[in-house]
Amino acid sequence: THISGTDFVRDGDGEFYVLEDNLRCPSGISYVLENRAVLKRILPSMFQTMKVRPVSDYGDHLYRTLKHIAPDGKDDPNIIVLTPGIYNSAYFEHTYLARQMGIEIVEGRDLVVRDQRVFMRTTRGLHPVHVIYRRIDNDFLDPTVFRSASMLGVPGIVGAYRAGKVSLANS
């Protein structure tokens, strides 16, 4: 698992407990980052006196993780966020993270698989994709492998992954 979302709580005695862990499409970090930025502006002295650890570099860490999982031989991989689209409840997060990392956000219809390689459609033609941070549930990722009626995924993307031509975060 490349990216996980784990919710911790601390009880009255100071013990930590895991409430939930999400390993497929973890969601919620964008709200943590935005809330932290607002609180730092409103209560800057609290962050200094309580020695709160920063989270503002999360986008950099996420980008490095995604770059690390690129197929062999790709020093400067093209990394994208694959979203189900604007009607998804986590779309704000998808766009937020793409912006933080400086990468493209795409929907399934923006991608095409040719010869077991994934390409992004652009106004200048097809552009190769090496790493996909997928924010689509497994069932909808590839209609040739999972749900055949899925309009969200990309036909052939699982074949490209199996051939080692593209990396899928949390595949």
Side-chain angles (χ1 to χ4, degrees):
T1 301
H2 308 106
I3 302 146
S4 66
T6 307
D7 295 339
F8 293 98
V9 294
R10 187 179 353 194
D11 71 5
D13 296 326
E15 289 289 320
F16 283 98
Y17 294 94
V18 174
L19 281 184
E20 173 185 35
D21 60 354
N22 188 331
L23 304 177
R24 286 178 296 150
C25 290
S27 193
I29 190 66
S30 62
Y31 301 105
V32 171
L33 298 171
E34 279 294 294
N35 286 337
R36 178 68 65 88
V38 169
L39 285 171
K40 280 180 70 175
R41 283 195 302 265
I42 295 171
L43 305 167
S45 61
M46 183 185 80
F47 281 83
Q48 293 167 348
T49 58
M50 298 188 79
K51 298 180 179 157
V52 176
R53 295 177 69 180
V55 294
S56 57
D57 59 350
Y58 179 84
D60 295 333
H61 287 286
L62 180 57
Y63 182 82
R64 282 196 303 273
T65 297
L66 296 172
K67 186 176 179 182
H68 177 74
I69 66 168
D72 290 338
K74 298 294 176 204
D75 293 331
D76 190 22
N78 186 23
I79 304 169
I80 61 167
V81 173
L82 176 60
T83 179
I86 62 172
Y87 299 109
N88 183 272
S89 62
Y91 185 72
F92 167 78
E93 177 155 294
H94 305 167
T95 59
Y96 182 89
L97 292 175
R99 215 173 26 252
Q100 290 291 307
M101 293 185 284
I103 63 175
E104 297 289 334
I105 182 170
V106 302
E107 295 181 27
R109 64 185 174 192
D110 300 320
L111 300 176
V112 63
V113 176
R114 301 252 169 88
D115 299 322
Q116 296 185 318
R117 294 182 62 211
V118 179
F119 295 90
M120 178 175 53
R121 292 182 173 104
T122 72
T123 56
R124 291 174 286 174
L126 297 178
H127 190 72
V129 173
H130 306 106
V131 178
I132 300 173
Y133 181 22
R134 68 168 188 91
R135 298 303 299 256
I136 293 179
D137 288 335
N138 294 339
D139 289 347
F140 302 98
L141 185 61
D142 186 335
T144 64
V145 177
F146 302 113
R147 277 193 190 180
S148 59
S150 173
M151 301 293 287
L152 300 176
V154 183
I157 199 168
V158 170
Y161 167 72
R162 287 179 178 157
K165 304 292 185 181
V166 69
S167 295
L168 298 171
N170 291 14
S171 54

